[in-house]
Amino acid sequence: MQYRCIALFPSLSNPISTCLQPYGRCSLCFSCFSFRFTSLTESGDATAQNCLTQNGWKLDRAVDAYYTNPSQFLVAEAKSQPDRRKIESIFQKYKELDRERNAEFILFNGMVRLLEDLRLPVESVRVLILAWKCEAKVQCEFSRDEFARGLLELGADSLDKLNQKLQSAEAELSNMTKLRELYNFTYDYAKQASQKNVDCDAAVAYWGIILSGRFALLDDWIQFIKDFNNNRSIPRDTWTLLFDFVMTVNGDCSKYDKDGAWPVVIDEFVEHIKAKQPKQAADGAVTVEPMEY
């Protein structure tokens, strides 16, 4: 059976008509335009209407504009309260009993199955976003309360909804405040409970997840940390101020203020890059350009 659109929205061809075309297939009415937009972008209805309005209700143009800069069009959707019983049933599917703590958690094996069902690779930033929204304290682990908190915050009570909400949350990382919140959360999340600092390997892995595509010198930084920092653990001030370095200097070391309150390791990294660049130019290599972000 093919459902038909009976929306009483204004039609572009007739302001008092009802659509009655196969739902989502009509090229005339606003309702079907919104349906097609949300199907293509997995965005919400309010975001769809905002983007379509700003682009003259031209579907192709609106979709292109949304993917170019989604944060420009995102509108907070009216939240329907997720069903806590459905969230609990998801938790029950992946949880196991931790006998030492005599409590149920989603542990490593359950996390692997959850990510498989969500079709998310471990290195996806959306996995980190989920941990952030759950305010998780331990890597690869969710308590019942953490899991419920995260899904309620995201507004999801099914795996399909969770996938959609994580996609939207990833798009919101174009907002520097949101990105910084995720970045700051990650330091404590990556740290072992008994440690003061984050292991170098863990820091490198999470820098790759969060800063990939955002930091022009990411590969150089990671190699420098491995070679010159002797794999020493990463203190909080280095972690925190690297974000400021990325946002203000990025690939253009001429913007670097050596008299600023930078950690020594970042001072040394800038000197390392400046020493490399003349040699690269002499060898005919392409010099690093700062990234637009």
Side-chain angles (χ1 to χ4, degrees):
M1 178 178 180
Q2 194 171 44
Y3 292 96
R4 294 188 176 272
C5 176
I6 56 171
L8 299 177
F9 286 89
S11 166
L12 295 176
S13 60
N14 184 340
I16 59 172
S17 69
T18 301
C19 180
L20 296 179
Q21 297 296 314
Y23 194 63
R25 301 288 300 278
C26 176
S27 61
L28 299 177
C29 85
F30 292 170
S31 178
C32 285
F33 267 40
S34 294
F35 176 84
R36 291 161 68 189
F37 184 93
T38 55
S39 298
L40 290 167
T41 63
E42 297 185 2
S43 62
D45 290 336
T47 296
Q49 184 169 348
N50 182 39
C51 189
L52 284 162
T53 299
Q54 291 191 46
N55 287 278
W57 288 84
K58 304 294 185 183
L59 182 63
D60 290 344
R61 191 169 77 188
V63 170
D64 289 342
Y66 177 80
Y67 279 121
T68 299
N69 187 6
S71 63
Q72 179 181 345
F73 306 104
L74 285 174
V75 176
E77 303 291 333
K79 287 187 178 180
S80 57
Q81 188 67 19
D83 189 329
R84 289 175 178 268
R85 291 171 300 179
K86 291 182 179 179
I87 293 175
E88 173 63 19
S89 69
I90 299 173
F91 180 82
Q92 289 292 327
K93 182 178 179 181
Y94 301 104
K95 57 86 175 171
E96 55 188 285
L97 177 65
D98 186 312
R99 297 190 182 279
E100 290 186 5
R101 291 177 283 184
N102 193 29
E104 293 176 333
F105 295 84
I106 296 177
L107 299 173
F108 179 80
N109 291 332
M111 191 73 72
V112 170
R113 291 188 289 111
L114 173 61
L115 297 186
E116 286 176 349
D117 290 346
L118 289 170
R119 300 181 297 280
L120 288 177
V122 174
E123 65 275 10
S124 170
V125 72
R126 296 182 194 179
V127 179
L128 187 56
I129 290 171
L130 177 57
W132 171 42
K133 296 297 185 181
C134 291
E135 299 178 24
K137 299 293 190 294
V138 180
Q139 296 179 74
C140 298
E141 175 182 304
F142 293 136
S143 69
R144 174 181 272 103
D145 288 345
E146 287 173 345
F147 191 72
R149 181 190 302 124
L151 268 65
L152 287 169
E153 170 67 20
L154 287 163
D157 54 17
S158 69
L159 294 186
D160 285 343
K161 288 181 182 178
L162 182 55
N163 252 329
Q164 294 173 10
K165 298 298 184 178
L166 289 174
Q167 181 182 27
S168 298
E170 181 181 7
E172 291 175 1
L173 295 182
S174 57
N175 179 303
M176 288 300 102
T177 300
K178 295 287 188 182
L179 183 63
R180 185 184 291 275
E181 288 176 5
L182 173 65
Y183 184 83
N184 289 342
F185 159 82
T186 302
Y187 187 83
D188 288 317
Y189 180 66
K191 190 161 58 70
Q192 300 294 326
S194 60
Q195 294 177 324
K196 180 180 178 181
N197 299 330
V198 171
D199 285 340
C200 183
D201 288 344
V204 164
Y206 283 115
W207 278 326
I209 291 171
I210 302 171
L211 298 180
S212 180
R214 297 182 169 96
F215 183 18
L217 297 172
L218 178 60
D219 291 342
D220 295 278
W221 169 255
I222 288 175
Q223 194 61 50
F224 176 82
I225 286 293
K226 290 179 176 178
D227 293 344
F228 293 87
N229 197 46
N230 295 320
N231 281 329
R232 292 191 295 269
S233 61
I234 306 300
R236 187 181 297 273
D237 67 328
T238 298
W239 177 272
T240 301
L241 289 171
L242 179 69
F243 188 89
D244 295 332
F245 178 82
V246 171
M247 295 301 114
T248 58
V249 176
N250 209 330
D252 186 359
C253 289
S254 66
K255 297 178 181 178
Y256 186 73
D257 179 7
K258 64 181 180 179
D259 296 323
W262 299 105
V264 172
V265 66
I266 294 182
D267 287 333
E268 292 176 346
F269 173 66
V270 171
E271 292 303 316
H272 170 71
I273 291 298
K274 287 181 176 179
K276 277 181 60 178
Q277 286 178 339
K279 182 179 184 303
Q280 289 176 333
D283 293 342
V286 178
T287 55
V288 177
E289 295 293 335
M291 296 179 70
E292 295 282 340
Y293 191 70

